[in-house]
Structures are given as C-alpha cells and as structure tokens.
C-alpha cells in the first residue's frame, strides 16, 4: 500500500527553468493538496483540489499552477523557477467524510533553484 | 484566515520525562485539530487528532487536550523515548483550509 507517492525526490533547477512535480495517491481520496515547507514556517498551502475537475488557490499560489489529471493524480508546475521557490514540496490527500479527516502526506520533493 | 502559533520551537527532555507542546489558533470556525510527527527526510505522519466536540483524547503515551473557549490545544507525550525525537506540527482545520504551526523540534536524550 503506497499511499501518496511523489516524484522526483530531489531536483536542482536553474532560475527560469520549468518543472512539473508529480503526485499520485492510491487511497481513492477525493481531495488533494500541495504544500511547501520552509524552515521555521511550517507547511503552507499552495493549491488544492477538493474533487476531480476542480482546483483552488491556497495561501501562497503565486508562481505555481496545478492540474488534477484524474482522481489519483495532482501535479504542480513551476513555469519559470525563481530562487524563492527553493523549498521542500509535499503533496497530501484526504478522504471523504467531511472536514474532520486527516490529510495523508507523501515524503516530499526537495527542490533547489540556483 | 486561520493563524496557528506553536510553542516551544525546540524542546529537549530526558528519556522517561514528559513533553508538552502548545498551540493557539485564531479562527473560532476551526473544528479539527490534528498533530503530525515528521522524521528527517519524511513527510508528516498523523499521530493523534481531536475534534471540536471533544475536550481530551488519549492514545497510549500520547494525549491531546482542547480548550475551544481559549482557542488553544496541547500535545502531551509521557514516558518519552529516544524514538520520539522528531519535529511535531499542530494544525487547525476548517473544510479545505488547514493551517499548520511552525513546528517543535523535540529531542529526547537517553
């Protein structure tokens, strides 16, 4: 049972390059999320998808785009990477049953932008 | 939006002692409060959660208390062990808006 799988695990980019981070879950969850984690700041929500076919902005969406490809997959795209986007990115998913359900996290993508 | 503050940022205890981490939140509409443990190189893992209609919940050595009136909740770990060393995050959630505290790095010294 893989849970939430993120690829790649590590990536180094140059400023201005583009990249797509991939996320897939095998728990048949409706909701999926992308967070970034920076030192001393906890996790901040970039975008989320409450269900297949919908996406919404979170707390820090600027510089990112997302695609909910199907129920399993939710990708995050950096069109023109900037050094400020150096971070660890986590994908999460949540099942049905209302708000009072935990989010399940992948192991992250560590992204460095030079 | 919701704002979650977490204290302390670092905590060092001797093996066998108790550890307490405290969080406050600002949005009275928040009704779900999970706690996550994050080990090095891994994603956050849920260790316990509490819903707004409950004041306390316990699972073996871990307990969480919630005071909705004061808008604060706490994580209590008893009989700490070296494997409890990790970063712990609290969160407060309403629908799809889950806000996290900045984290507490817990070190349990043998």
């Amino acid at each position: 049972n893989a849970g939430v799988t993120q690829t790649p695990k590590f990536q180094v980019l140059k400023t201005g390059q583009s990249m797509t981070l991939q996320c897939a879950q095998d728990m048949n969850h409706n909701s999926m999320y992308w967070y970034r984690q920076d030192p001393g700041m906890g996790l901040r929500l970039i975008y989320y998808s409450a269900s297949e076919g919908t996406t919404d902005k979170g707390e820090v969406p600027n510089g990112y785009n997302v695609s909910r490809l199907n129920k399993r997959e939710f990708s995050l795209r950096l069109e023109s990477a900037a050094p400020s986007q150096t971070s660890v990115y986590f994908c999460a998913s949540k099942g049905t049953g209302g708000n009072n359900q935990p989010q399940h996290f992948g192991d992250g993508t560590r992204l460095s932008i030079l | 939006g919701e704002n979650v503050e977490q204290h302390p940022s670092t905590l060092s205890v001797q093996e066998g002692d108790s550890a307490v981490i405290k969080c406050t939140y600002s949005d009275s509409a928040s009704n779900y409060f999970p706690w996550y443990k994050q080990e090095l190189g891994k994603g956050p893992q849920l260790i316990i959660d509490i819903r707004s209609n409950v004041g306390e919940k316990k699972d073996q050595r871990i307990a969480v208390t919630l005071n909705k009136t004061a808008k604060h909740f706490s994580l209590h770990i008893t009989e700490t062990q070296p494997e409890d060393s990790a970063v712990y995050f609290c969160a407060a959630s309403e629908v799809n808006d889950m806000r996290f505290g900045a984290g507490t790095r817990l070190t349990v010294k043998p």
Side-chain angles (χ1 to χ4, degrees):
Chain A
N1 185 5
V4 178
T5 302
Q6 292 184 236
T7 56
K9 295 188 186 304
F10 303 93
Q11 185 69 49
V12 179
L13 295 177
K14 294 181 179 178
T15 298
Q17 287 185 316
S18 62
M19 166 155 198
T20 299
L21 281 60
Q22 307 287 352
C23 174
Q25 52 91 9
D26 62 3
M27 296 174 283
N28 200 34
H29 285 170
N30 282 340
S31 302
M32 297 185 73
Y33 308 82
W34 276 106
Y35 292 89
R36 61 178 289 172
Q37 184 177 40
D38 301 295
M41 299 188 73
L43 293 109
R44 292 182 292 166
L45 183 64
I46 304 170
Y47 270 93
Y48 68 94
S49 171
S51 61
E52 187 178 354
T54 69
T55 61
D56 284 288
K57 294 179 181 179
E59 186 183 356
V60 289
N62 291 345
Y64 305 95
N65 286 300
V66 290
S67 295
R68 184 73 182 267
L69 305 171
N70 48 56
K71 192 170 186 179
R72 290 187 63 249
E73 298 172 289
F74 188 38
S75 63
L76 178 71
R77 183 161 178 84
L78 287 70
E79 289 290 352
S80 180
S84 61
Q85 295 177 304
T86 292
S87 189
V88 182
Y89 291 85
F90 287 98
C91 177
S93 68
K94 184 178 78 172
T96 55
N99 171 50
N100 296 341
Q101 299 296 320
Q103 293 183 17
H104 300 264
F105 287 84
D107 283 337
T109 293
R110 284 145 187 84
L111 183 61
S112 293
I113 298 156
L114 307 177
Chain B
E2 177 66 272
N3 182 47
V4 178
E5 295 192 358
Q6 182 172 345
H7 300 280
S9 57
T10 61
L11 180 60
S12 182
V13 300
Q14 284 296 135
E15 182 178 359
D17 288 350
S18 295
V20 180
I21 303 170
K22 298 181 178 182
C23 290
T24 61
Y25 63 100
S26 61
D27 189 348
S28 58
S30 292
N31 57 9
Y32 177 63
F33 307 91
W35 284 88
Y36 288 87
K37 176 183 181 182
Q38 186 177 25
E39 296 176 333
L40 192 63
K42 297 290 187 181
Q45 297 292 313
L46 179 76
I47 56 171
I48 195 167
D49 56 10
I50 191 166
R51 292 161 178 82
S52 59
N53 58 344
V54 175
E56 183 173 357
K57 182 177 179 180
K58 189 173 182 180
D59 182 4
Q60 300 182 0
R61 297 186 296 110
I62 296 173
V64 58
T65 59
L66 171 65
N67 183 327
K68 283 217 74 180
T69 303
K71 297 195 188 72
H72 64 72
F73 56 114
S74 300
L75 177 71
H76 305 253
I77 305 174
T78 59
E79 301 173 23
T80 53
Q81 301 167 3
E83 51 265 38
D84 293 329
S85 295
V87 179
Y88 291 81
F89 292 96
C90 64
S93 176
E94 188 222 351
V95 193
N96 280 305
D97 188 9
M98 182 175 285
R99 299 296 176 105
F100 289 81
T104 296
R105 181 173 299 279
L106 174 64
T107 302
V108 180
K109 294 180 284 187

